[in-house]
Amino acid sequence: MVKKAKGSAKRPKDLREHCRVPDFGKGFKLRDTDPGEKKVFRDRTEAEGAMAADIARIDELQDVLWAQARHAVMVVFQAMDAGGKDGTIKKVFGPVDPLGLTTTSFKKPTDKELAQDYLWRVHQAVPPRGMIGLFNRSHYEDVLVVRVHGLAPPEKIDQRYDQINAFEKHLAENNVTILKFFLNISKDEQKERLQDRINDPTKRWKFNPADLNERRLWKQYMSAYELALTRCSTPWAPWHVIPADRNWYRNALVARIVRTTLEDLNPKYPPAPKGIEKLVVV
Ligand code: AMP
Ligand code: MG
């Protein structure tokens, strides 16, 4: 019997499976995940090479998605402050044709939004067929920050997990493919990044002193995240936990998972009108 040399552990093939929270979180514990994991790509060079190819493919597939105008893809990003939501969107989707993308950042709800049910603003941001819609935060804030700060009655919040699953199922059954990413950074990495926002004059605008209060509630947020990831990872809208302490690793994983999802969707250019090849433009 040949013993495996140390460090030669097999690299995961299907990155969706590797990062995916099991359906309804069976056996899932956030504390078992490692924000610093590096099983998939050996180093930065390898990850960036893979990512460039994956992004080029995403761009090609997006063109077909748009031409076919049958499916929409909704990509949800959630993370703690400084977790890399903006950076991932910029790096993975920056090179993709902007005509095929919608991007929505969900902020503290306005009075108008608060006068409606919490999914009202979300439904309006769902991408139309043919487009990829990026969600920078999402309806999950309504079971995260809202839970941690008690912004709604507990029994109302408890009802939301099933409501979200039903909402996402409704979308999935109406040609919206849903991908959800939790960018998983460690508390130590968040400390570095927040400090960097303070120290770097070009990043100070990103620093919000209120983020320090949220940081103090790290444990409560992790419990709220675990509950959301567990109760709302479904066959029709799976959650993926992305190790996010290294930006290049995080970006490469997200790019590969988006690419694989688009490939599975397998969009096709619509059939050309009969006889078009005989037309001559004069
Ligand atoms: P940022 O993403 O840094 O611009 O911050 C947006 C802020 O809006 C975060 O503190 C979120 O927690 C907050 N936020 C987003 N959605 C909600 C919501 N539904 N209820 C309360 N706060 C929210
Ligand atoms: Mg912020």
Side-chain angles (χ1 to χ4, degrees), residues 117-136:
D117 77 274
Y118 69 100
L119 291 174
W120 178 76
R121 66 174 183 167
V122 182
H123 208 156
Q124 293 180 73
V126 171
R129 292 185 181 141
M131 310 253 316
I132 299 175
L134 309 175
F135 279 28
N136 188 347

Side-chain angles (χ1 to χ4, degrees), residues 219-237:
K219 258 194 168 163
Q220 288 88 324
Y221 269 106
M222 289 306 115
S223 301
Y225 265 109
E226 187 166 282
L227 208 52
L229 296 169
T230 302
R231 294 201 53 187
C232 299
S233 193
T234 56
W236 56 90

Side-chain angles (χ1 to χ4, degrees), residues 80-82 85-86 107 137 194 197 205-208 211:
M80 294 295 283
D81 292 310
K85 300 183 298 293
D86 300 12
K107 305 284 183 183
R137 302 187 191 269
L194 290 178
R197 285 184 180 181
W205 63 274
K206 273 196 191 186
F207 180 74
N208 177 355
D211 293 350

Side-chain angles (χ1 to χ4, degrees), residues 40-231:
V40 178
F41 299 105
R42 213 172 290 119
D43 54 26
R44 184 176 185 139
T45 311
E46 188 191 59
E48 288 181 347
M51 183 170 88
D54 289 340
I55 292 176
R57 187 77 185 121
I58 291 171
D59 191 36
E60 280 172 13
L61 288 163
Q62 200 288 316
D63 191 60
V64 192
L65 197 77
W66 172 243
Q68 188 181 31
R70 186 179 292 171
H71 301 280
V73 179
M74 174 174 144
V75 190
V76 169
F77 291 99
Q78 283 289 159
M80 294 295 283
D81 292 310
K85 300 183 298 293
D86 300 12
T88 309
I89 289 174
K90 186 171 164 179
K91 291 289 178 189
V92 176
F93 294 95
V96 177
D97 184 352
L99 290 172
L101 296 175
T102 62
T103 311
T104 312
S105 292
F106 289 91
K107 305 284 183 183
K108 240 175 121 196
T110 62
D111 287 347
K112 192 175 172 203
E113 288 168 344
L114 280 175
Q116 303 281 346
D117 77 274
Y118 69 100
L119 291 174
W120 178 76
R121 66 174 183 167
V122 182
H123 208 156
Q124 293 180 73
V126 171
R129 292 185 181 141
M131 310 253 316
I132 299 175
L134 309 175
F135 279 28
N136 188 347
R137 302 187 191 269
S138 65
H139 42 305
Y140 283 94
E141 291 292 326
D142 293 284
V143 291
L144 293 167
V145 63
V146 171
R147 185 173 195 101
V148 170
H149 287 281
L151 303 177
E155 66 278 11
K156 289 283 174 200
I157 301 172
D158 284 341
Q159 291 170 346
R160 290 181 175 175
Y161 303 93
D162 287 345
Q163 291 167 355
I164 288 174
N165 288 344
F167 170 65
E168 292 177 348
K169 188 155 202 240
H170 163 83
L171 295 178
E173 287 173 352
N174 285 277
N175 289 12
V176 183
T177 296
I178 303 169
L179 265 180
K180 300 181 297 202
F181 293 108
F182 170 54
L183 309 179
N184 189 23
I185 56 162
S186 61
K187 198 175 176 195
D188 285 347
E189 180 64 22
Q190 190 200 43
K191 180 182 173 182
E192 300 281 319
R193 294 184 186 191
L194 290 178
Q195 191 63 55
D196 189 46
R197 285 184 180 181
I198 294 168
N199 297 349
D200 180 344
T202 69
K203 290 187 184 163
R204 281 186 190 146
W205 63 274
K206 273 196 191 186
F207 180 74
N208 177 355
D211 293 350
L212 299 180
N213 298 331
E214 302 310 296
R215 177 171 164 78
R216 281 189 209 103
L217 297 167
W218 185 272
K219 258 194 168 163
Q220 288 88 324
Y221 269 106
M222 289 306 115
S223 301
Y225 265 109
E226 187 166 282
L227 208 52
L229 296 169
T230 302
R231 294 201 53 187

